[in-house]
Amino acid sequence: MSKHLIVGVGPIGSATARLLAARGEEVVLVSRSGAAPATAGLADLPGVRSVRLDATDAEALGELAAGAAVLYNCANPAYHRWATDWPPLAAALLAAAERSGAVLATVSNLYGYGAVAAPMTEDTPLDPNSVKGRVRARMWEDALALHRAGRVRVTEIRGSDYIGPHAESPLGARVVPRLLAGRGVQVLRSADTAHSWTYTEDAARLLVTVGGEERAWGRPWHVPSNAPRTQREAVADLAEAAGVAPVRVSEIPAAMLAALGLVNPTVRALREVAYQLERPFVMDSGAATATFGLEPTSWTEILGATADSYRTPASHR
């Protein structure tokens, strides 16, 4: 049994904890609250304990990471605060990994590639065109520099917009409850451009894999994901999987988004990455499948799990 330290108790951090616990590992969950959400499915799970800690405290995090085989960065600062909140957190995670000797396995995304005209692979150059993209690219560049200097061992996984139970997603809380009620839905930006979707559970599977595989260290990996679907197609697929009638899909008017952005910092922060939902945004995940034999969960299963999570009362999840 090995010790594993997970920073962040969102959908991917929680799924990572469940996978490791099922394997009989010792799992320590780190969050500001010191408690996993009721939806995490971690209550009374053997081998899992939660710790209240500000992960920007590098010294405290390093002490907690002592003896850990892997340190998983599953943190998720507020979307509109990435530029201020990520740098100190990323620096503390690197310092803790160096101090403890744990492998640092980070959950990242595709923002660092910027706006591209072809499917993204791990060899696509980092060329961010947004503040959030520059933050993510810098995090990886800093980590890779220390890895190449022999001071830490790092890897990261990159996924597209998430789909799955409790995932923060364009296909999440704004869409699924309305669909289940038979009401029309409005989607962000274009409803009809190809888009890759990454299942949160598949992200956790890859994260656990690369954290423990020496051949995975020193490079990023794309999470195995299904063929791209437009938002309109994905909503129709969700309705079919949920066993409800198709609903009308429309795009949120640009003027409405602009007005919402005046009062909602998250909506305002979406502006600089709007290109991801305005033009094809497609990820190639063949490298992880070829290297580790990991296939994406079937699209039908993903859709069913997503719809079911909105049907089940939180107290029973």
Side-chain angles (χ1 to χ4, degrees), residues 10 117 206 229 287 300:
L206 180 62
R229 301 290 282 167
T300 301

Side-chain angles (χ1 to χ4, degrees), residues 35-215:
T39 56
L42 297 173
D44 302 319
L45 202 60
V48 178
R49 64 185 176 98
S50 295
V51 174
R52 182 177 182 178
L53 180 71
D54 180 352
T56 62
D57 185 337
E59 183 174 354
L61 187 63
E63 290 177 1
L64 190 61
V70 186
L71 170 57
Y72 303 91
N73 175 8
C74 302
N76 186 27
Y79 194 63
H80 63 288
R81 292 185 55 85
W82 280 19
T84 55
D85 291 3
W86 260 128
L89 179 55
L93 285 157
L94 273 174
E98 182 173 14
R99 174 175 174 173
S100 66
V103 175
L104 177 61
T106 295
V107 178
S108 191
N109 56 31
L110 308 176
Y111 287 27
Y113 298 126
V116 297
M120 292 162 278
T121 72
E122 294 89 339
D123 293 325
T124 300
L126 294 178
D127 187 22
N129 63 337
S130 65
V131 172
K132 285 183 280 295
R134 287 191 287 274
V135 167
R136 278 297 191 175
R138 180 61 183 271
M139 285 172 60
W140 174 243
E141 289 164 351
D142 289 348
L144 187 59
L146 291 185
H147 176 93
R148 288 173 171 166
R151 293 171 54 184
V152 294
R153 296 168 296 165
V154 303
T155 183
E156 78 172 26
I157 66 168
R158 297 174 182 166
S160 189
D161 280 301
Y162 291 119
I163 186 170
H166 326 304
E168 293 184 14
S169 168
L171 297 178
R174 287 188 53 264
V175 168
V176 182
R178 292 183 62 88
L179 179 151
L180 292 176
R183 303 164 65 187
V185 302
Q186 289 186 310
V187 297
L188 295 168
R189 304 297 177 174
S190 172
D192 297 301
T193 56
H195 197 87
S196 292
W197 304 96
T198 295
Y199 187 34
T200 49
E201 299 285 333
D202 288 338
R205 282 196 301 140
L206 180 62
L207 187 66
V208 169
T209 298
V210 299
E213 288 262 6
E214 185 174 355
R215 57 183 171 159

Side-chain angles (χ1 to χ4, degrees), residues 253-265:
M256 182 182 294
L257 281 175
L260 286 172
L262 295 175
V263 296
N264 187 313

